[in-house]
Amino acid sequence: MRTKVAIIGSGPSGLLLGQLLTEAAIDNVVLDRVGKDYILGRVRAGVLEEGTVGLMDQAKSGAHMHAAGLPHHGFSLAFDGRDHRIDLYSLTGGKRVVVYGQTELTRDLMEHREASGALTVYDAANVTPHDFDGASPYLTYDKNGITHRLDCDFIAGCDGFHGASRKAVPQGAIRTFEKVYPFGWLGILADVAPVSHELIYANHPRGFALCSMRSETRSRYYIQCSLDEKVEDWSDARFWDELRWRLPENHAEAMVTAPSFAKSIAPLRSFVAEPIRFGRLFLVGDAAHIVPPTGAKGLNLAASDVFYLSNALIEFYGHRSEAGIDAYSQKALARVWKAVRFSWWMTTIMHRFPNTDDFGQRLQEAELDYLVQSPAASTSLAENYVGLPY
Ligand code: RFL
Ligand code: PHB
């Protein structure tokens, strides 16, 4: 089998890249290690920057997002028992974010891909990139007991943090930067109206909490937890009690609870690989970098990588110019590092670290107070949160 661009991974980055290429009449094949239902069962990100929304439109996959997504013009920072609104819209001259689940975005892209007739190979085991340092790269993979070969011009490694693409790069050719945080997020979904119509990021001596949502009737809540916690030890009652503790009283009292589903613990990490282009292999999204979810940047960074790479490939096939391809790593990483900085900073000021003592807690509260009182500081927070320009 032969295609122009072989895309490893059917997550948001692989599917978005595939759709943008298909819209530009560039033949591509997507392969994933697992099946469609498994991919759609993952609950992850929920906040889209305007750039991501624009790319969904460009991929002709934005209709449901526009119908069901919730435009948010601000969010709250809660600390020291109080609640302060960050007015994203006025601080950024009219920008906003859209609250729309990654699961839904992935489904929209999958459905559109199926309708366009582009090929996706699910349950492809042992996907391996070969010869990407030359002009004729190819992939091999196993399916139904048979080893297949897919010849291509380019390979896009959109296969997440644990994927095969980054591992295929010779060790001496790649440098990695990593910070692992000493806590995780315990997250739940519950079919109840969100406690507030905007997101609440809460700093509390007992630990961070986040009130988010998927719709007007489905809430997504998180609490910081220690890394040795087990999901089984968190009954719904214990979760709701802990969440209430960490919120200002008005929200704690207004909180409506219900049985949860999709309860899970995610570790927090910052990670960047450099470079992210190796001959004809490109790393994209979580395969190239990871951020802690505090700034809601993971999915949006995957989208900005796709922006640079899809334009580079369209330029290559349209004008036989390799300029975009040559610039991909540097351009994408310049934006990535700014989001890595922002996510690290927001994680640092919002969470209780093992060595946060009372002095450290007061420093965090002072920083948060400065952030909400100073127009300069609020503007910096807002412009990063809505997403820096591409
Ligand atoms: P994905 O979504 O991980 O998709 C990668 C796809 O590649 C497949 N794959 C392989 N396919 C073939 N061969 C292999 N060897 C393969 N190995 C893996 C996988 O099955 C999968 O389908 O990466 P992508 O597309 O780059 O998208 C990135 C986003 O998913 C990610 O940045 C965010 O979801 C990060 N993230 C969150 N971001 C937020 O902004 N807010 C959140 O609340 C949030 N929660 C999360 C998260 C990431 C998590 N992970 C990765 C553990 C919660 C979790 C649990
Ligand atoms: C979510 O809704 O899952 C979500 C929202 C904002 C974040 C992280 C996760 O910063």
Side-chain angles (χ1 to χ4, degrees):
M1 193 165 39
R2 178 164 183 91
T3 189
K4 285 186 170 142
V5 184
I7 301 174
I8 312 177
S10 177
S13 53
L15 289 167
L16 185 57
L17 177 64
Q19 267 334 91
L20 292 170
L21 295 180
T22 300
E23 288 302 325
I26 299 170
D27 185 51
N28 61 90
V29 173
V30 170
L31 301 102
D32 205 289
R33 190 170 49 88
V34 297
K36 193 173 160 180
D37 291 345
Y38 185 89
I39 294 168
L40 291 175
R42 295 191 286 229
V43 183
R44 290 185 178 173
V47 176
L48 309 185
E49 297 172 353
E50 276 184 1
T52 308
V53 170
L55 287 169
M56 284 294 284
D57 286 335
Q58 199 188 322
K60 303 277 192 307
S61 306
H64 191 252
M65 172 190 71
H66 286 294
L70 305 170
H72 278 211
H73 291 195
F75 65 84
S76 281
L77 283 176
F79 58 95
D80 199 18
R82 293 168 293 143
D83 194 8
H84 308 264
R85 182 162 190 267
I86 299 294
D87 188 335
L88 295 173
Y89 196 76
S90 67
L91 288 164
T92 60
K95 295 211 168 84
R96 56 194 190 163
V97 293
V98 173
V99 173
Y100 189 62
Q102 178 169 332
T103 317
E104 288 69 35
L105 176 140
T106 306
R107 182 182 299 114
D108 298 346
L109 287 164
M110 273 181 180
E111 282 174 1
H112 196 63
R113 184 171 181 85
E114 275 166 27
S116 69
L119 178 64
T120 306
V121 182
Y122 293 111
D123 301 310
N126 303 321
V127 179
T128 312
H130 302 272
D131 289 358
F132 48 84
D133 51 351
S136 310
Y138 65 97
L139 293 181
T140 51
Y141 63 95
D142 298 336
K143 175 133 181 162
N144 300 330
I146 299 167
T147 300
H148 300 262
R149 173 175 170 142
L150 174 61
D151 288 284
C152 55
D153 299 334
F154 296 101
I155 300 171
C158 304
D159 48 353
F161 184 66
H162 299 288
S165 316
R166 202 179 62 251
K167 290 187 191 126
V169 174
Q171 272 205 351
I174 194 166
R175 186 168 175 205
T176 59
F177 302 81
E178 185 167 33
K179 179 172 178 58
V180 175
Y181 299 86
F183 40 73
W185 280 19
L186 170 62
I188 62 149
L189 277 172
D191 278 331
V192 281
V195 65
S196 160
H197 67 283
E198 291 185 340
L199 271 61
I200 306 170
Y201 289 84
N203 170 297
H204 190 275
R206 292 178 73 94
F208 169 76
L210 170 60
C211 301
S212 181
M213 65 197 73
R214 289 291 174 269
S215 69
E216 272 147 15
T217 55
R218 180 166 290 182
S219 296
R220 175 81 167 142
Y221 293 134
Y222 298 94
I223 53 174
Q224 175 188 347
C225 67
S226 110
L227 278 173
D228 37 61
E229 294 281 2
K230 302 223 167 356
V231 175
E232 308 80 77
D233 294 334
W234 283 88
S235 65
D236 282 355
R238 183 175 172 210
F239 182 91
W240 293 118
D241 281 348
E242 190 59 43
L243 178 61
R244 279 197 208 92
W245 267 108
R246 299 183 187 191
L247 297 176
E249 222 172 280
N250 57 328
H251 293 306
E253 279 167 10
M255 172 87 61
V256 182
T257 65
S260 74
F261 56 101
K263 204 183 274 168
S264 63
I265 294 178
L268 269 67
R269 173 197 312 267
S270 301
F271 172 90
V272 183
E274 283 185 4
I276 56 173
R277 180 242 174 147
F278 307 88
R280 288 183 167 238
L281 168 69
F282 306 95
L283 302 182
V284 183
D286 277 16
H289 40 73
I290 294 279
V291 288
T294 325
K297 291 286 164 247
L299 173 58
N300 293 301
L301 281 183
S304 68
D305 287 356
V306 167
F307 169 82
Y308 295 117
L309 184 57
S310 59
N311 283 339
L313 292 171
I314 291 167
E315 194 181 313
F316 175 83
Y317 286 107
H319 309 289
R320 289 284 147 186
S321 160
E322 299 198 9
I325 286 170
D326 290 341
Y328 168 68
S329 186
Q330 182 267 325
K331 273 193 184 171
L333 284 172
R335 190 172 189 279
V336 163
W337 270 110
K338 292 186 188 84
V340 169
R341 194 237 21 117
F342 176 67
S343 306
W344 160 83
W345 168 77
M346 223 175 139
T347 302
T348 306
I349 60 164
M350 295 308 299
H351 290 76
R352 183 92 183 177
F353 285 70
N355 59 357
T356 311
D357 52 12
D358 291 346
F359 177 77
Q361 177 69 31
R362 283 287 183 276
L363 280 186
Q364 284 185 339
E365 288 166 7
E367 178 153 12
L368 287 162
D369 200 34
Y370 169 65
L371 207 51
V372 300
Q373 300 301 333
S374 155
S378 302
T379 303
S380 167
L381 168 64
E383 74 172 347
N384 279 281
Y385 194 86
V386 300
L388 295 176
Y390 286 176

